[in-house]
């Protein structure tokens, strides 16, 4: 879930059309109550609400209300933030948020002043407060080409983590793409991210991942004792391959520092739906575009079914997955390439249902311009 506005104004923001309110368009705003958010998650079998896209700090009260209800409904809350926030506000979040994924952009005060328009120390204080409270914590650092994608950034952040947190807190080095006020530059070269990962591991951090990079071993989780692959990732997809129910390595029994959700609620699938009265839309993955948002609005007074399936190079298809939308429901599906053999999704939508396809450039990108309108 994302909202409007941010306490920062980062030059590179990939969600500037929603984080910087002057660029917002009314059509991108949909209204929900806390009860509707939780009901939507429960109905769709979603087990974790991630507060993300713009920065959750700016809609603190709504998040507190909703996260409280979500916990009562057995859901997990994840808070993905640049964390320029007061200690009192963190105290209010701690009872309800299960996962804090915090963006630590740099350890350089000048960087924060110039590029984000904020400051560093409150972010560091907040991270420490969450860590001391014993919450699940992960840090991520956007590696901006020729500005922060260097060994010094990796070294300073790792050393700060080893001094103030511990070696088991996961660290993500995230690939940057040119956006907003920083369009006149390049996408971060992957070899610089790989080098940053090596540096962080040499300094003692145990779980270091690359972000916004698809199809690389460095997004997987490996056992740090025996090297067995524990979680296999491709883009936004993850598959557990070597963990037992407690989150330990199935090969050597080592604690992998992984907390597992309860088992998946089965996703409704079918191989032969009745599709008369449906429009079929296809999309081909291409270049860096390996995820798609599909914005839908059920403008009827009946429940409707949407279907989607993966198309593969060998001409074969996966089963159709069903999604039910209640009357008046506004919903965004995220589809994401899951292996090299997959060429793109096929989506079946009842005729007359408003829908827009949006290409997603990177994982926390919330696109507002549809394919039909341009890129
Ligand atoms: S990059 Fe994140 S913290 Fe910076 S302006 Fe955008 S939403 Fe806010």
């Amino acid at each position: 879930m994302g909202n409007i506005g941010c306490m920062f104004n980062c030059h590179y923001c990939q969600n500037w059309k929603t984080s910087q309110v002057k660029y917002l368009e009314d059509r991108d705003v949909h209204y929900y109550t806390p009860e509707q958010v939780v009901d939507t998650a429960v109905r769709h079998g979603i087990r974790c609400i991630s507060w993300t896209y713009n920065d959750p700090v700016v809609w603190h009260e709504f998040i507190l209300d909703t996260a409280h209800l979500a916990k009562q409904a057995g859901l997990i809350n994840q808070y993905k933030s640049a964390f320029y926030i007061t200690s009192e506000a963190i105290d209010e979040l701690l009872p309800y948020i299960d996962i804090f994924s915090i963006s630590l952009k740099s350890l350089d005060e000048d960087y924060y002043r110039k590029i984000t328009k904020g400051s560093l120390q409150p972010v560091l204080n907040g991270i420490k407060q969450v860590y001391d409270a014993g919450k699940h914590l992960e840090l991520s650092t956007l590696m901006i080409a020729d500005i922060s994608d260097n060994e010094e950034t990796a070294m300073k952040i790792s050393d700060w983590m080893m001094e103030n947190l511990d070696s088991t807190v996961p660290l993500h080095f995230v690939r940057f793409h040119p956006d907003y006020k920083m369009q006149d530059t390049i996408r971060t070269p992957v070899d610089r991210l790989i080098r940053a990962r090596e540096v962080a591991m040499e300094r003692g951090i145990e779980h270091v991942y690359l972000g916004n990079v698809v199809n690389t071993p460095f997004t997987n989780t490996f056992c740090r004792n025996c090297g067995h692959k524990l979680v296999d990732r491709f883009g936004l997809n993850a598959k557990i391959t070597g963990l037992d129910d407690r989150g330990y390595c199935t090969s050597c029994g080592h604690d992998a520092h992984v907390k597992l959700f309860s088992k998946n609620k089965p996703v409704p699938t079918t191989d032969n739906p009745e599709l008369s009265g449906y429009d079929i839309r296809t999309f081909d993955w291409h270049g860096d575009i390996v995820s798609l948002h599909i914005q839908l609005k059920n403008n009827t007074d009946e429940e409707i079914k949407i279907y989607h399936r993966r198309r593969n190079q060998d001409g074969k298809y996966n089963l159709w997955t069903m999604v039910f939308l209640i009357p008046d429901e506004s919903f965004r599906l995220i589809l994401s390439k899951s292996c090299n053999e997959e060429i793109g999704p096929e989506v079946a939508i009842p005729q007359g249902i408003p829908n827009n396809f949006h290409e997603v450039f990177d994982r926390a990108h919330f696109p507002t311009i549809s394919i039909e309108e341009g890129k």
Side-chain angles (χ1 to χ4, degrees):
M1 297 295 295
N3 191 259
I4 303 157
C6 188
M7 63 286 170
F8 284 168
N9 179 359
C10 302
H11 287 186
Y12 46 72
C13 185
Q14 64 180 6
N15 290 326
W16 53 273
K17 277 201 70 185
T18 50
S19 77
Q20 308 303 311
V21 69
K22 65 182 170 181
Y23 301 112
L24 186 80
E25 294 178 54
D26 286 348
R27 65 176 190 172
D28 294 324
V29 180
H30 303 268
Y31 292 88
Y32 297 88
T33 62
E35 289 77 11
Q36 284 170 326
V37 171
V38 174
D39 173 65
T40 301
V42 170
R43 268 191 297 107
H44 288 282
I46 292 164
R47 289 167 299 153
C48 176
I49 299 182
S50 185
W51 303 97
T52 178
Y53 291 129
N54 66 321
D55 203 291
V57 167
V58 299
W59 54 323
H60 183 74
E61 295 78 6
F62 186 94
I63 288 172
L64 282 181
D65 290 350
T66 313
H68 187 178
L69 288 178
K71 265 199 110 56
Q72 287 174 342
L75 305 177
I76 305 274
N77 286 290
Q78 167 171 263
Y79 197 87
K80 176 118 189 65
S81 171
F83 228 46
Y84 192 63
I85 184 171
T86 63
S87 165
E88 293 81 354
I90 295 171
D91 278 339
E92 290 179 343
L93 290 170
L94 286 172
Y96 308 115
I97 302 296
D98 304 284
I99 304 166
F100 286 85
S101 171
I102 298 178
S103 167
L104 176 59
K105 294 161 187 293
S106 167
L107 274 184
D108 179 359
E109 178 60 29
D110 278 356
Y111 174 109
Y112 267 84
R113 288 275 173 212
K114 286 182 191 151
I115 299 182
T116 73
K117 314 292 188 298
S119 64
L120 170 64
Q121 197 55 48
V123 180
L124 297 178
N125 296 346
I127 293 171
K128 189 79 176 76
Q129 187 176 341
V130 166
Y131 175 79
D132 289 342
K135 288 289 172 170
H136 183 86
L137 169 67
E138 310 212 0
L139 298 189
S140 62
T141 300
L142 185 68
M143 303 295 270
I144 305 174
D146 300 328
I147 292 183
S148 59
D149 61 343
N150 49 47
E151 293 188 16
E152 195 189 343
T153 301
M155 225 179 276
K156 282 187 173 169
I157 287 183
S158 310
D159 290 352
W160 184 86
M161 288 175 71
M162 291 298 284
E163 222 169 278
N164 295 278
L165 315 175
D166 70 63
S167 65
T168 67
V169 174
L171 172 62
H172 304 252
F173 289 119
V174 179
R175 196 177 189 200
F176 152 89
H177 75 255
D179 217 322
Y180 192 33
K181 297 177 185 167
M182 291 185 76
Q183 306 218 14
D184 200 14
T185 179
I186 56 166
R187 196 150 162 73
T188 317
V190 174
D191 59 343
R192 296 187 200 169
L193 297 172
I194 293 173
R195 180 61 198 139
R197 179 177 180 271
E198 286 167 359
V199 168
M201 293 185 90
E202 284 160 17
R203 312 296 276 195
I205 308 293
E206 294 180 47
H207 306 289
V208 190
Y209 300 95
L210 306 195
N212 290 342
V213 181
V214 175
N215 196 15
T216 152
F218 307 122
T219 56
N220 298 329
T221 301
F222 296 99
C223 176
R224 71 201 193 293
N225 185 49
C226 72
H228 185 55
K229 194 197 280 185
L230 308 178
V231 185
D232 187 65
R233 297 190 180 84
F234 190 104
L236 300 180
N237 302 273
K239 201 165 35 184
I240 292 170
T241 52
L243 288 172
D244 66 18
D245 288 347
R246 300 166 307 154
Y248 287 56
C249 173
T250 49
S251 173
C252 71
H254 210 270
D255 180 0
H257 307 133
V258 172
K259 296 186 184 84
L260 295 170
F261 286 166
S262 54
K263 292 263 187 262
N264 262 344
K265 183 176 160 191
V267 178
T269 54
T270 176
D271 57 358
N272 196 16
E274 169 51 54
L275 292 180
S276 63
Y278 275 74
D279 288 330
I280 308 285
R281 290 190 67 175
T282 56
F283 182 82
D284 291 337
W285 304 128
H286 58 96
D288 282 335
I289 307 297
V290 289
S291 303
L292 192 67
H293 282 192
I294 301 175
Q295 175 77 52
L296 299 152
K297 168 87 178 169
N298 181 2
N299 57 357
T300 74
D301 50 14
E302 290 173 1
E303 186 175 88
I304 58 166
K305 287 180 192 164
I306 313 290
Y307 298 92
H308 60 88
R309 63 177 177 178
R310 303 178 190 277
R311 293 181 294 135
N312 297 307
Q313 267 166 8
D314 57 8
K316 294 202 176 123
Y317 295 89
N318 289 34
L319 290 179
W320 290 100
T321 299
M322 273 183 281
V323 180
F324 300 91
L325 298 189
I326 60 172
D328 213 33
E329 180 165 7
S330 240
F331 196 71
R332 235 181 222 231
L333 293 174
I334 306 178
L335 304 181
S336 178
K337 182 173 178 173
S338 64
C339 63
N340 280 323
E341 292 67 45
E342 192 185 314
I343 54 175
E346 187 168 68
V347 186
I349 302 169
Q351 282 162 4
I353 295 298
N355 65 88
N356 287 305
F357 282 25
H358 299 261
E359 293 183 337
V360 178
F361 208 79
D362 277 331
R363 70 178 171 192
H365 177 209
F366 187 87
T368 53
I369 309 283
S370 68
I371 294 172
E372 292 79 8
E373 292 173 295
K375 295 196 165 65

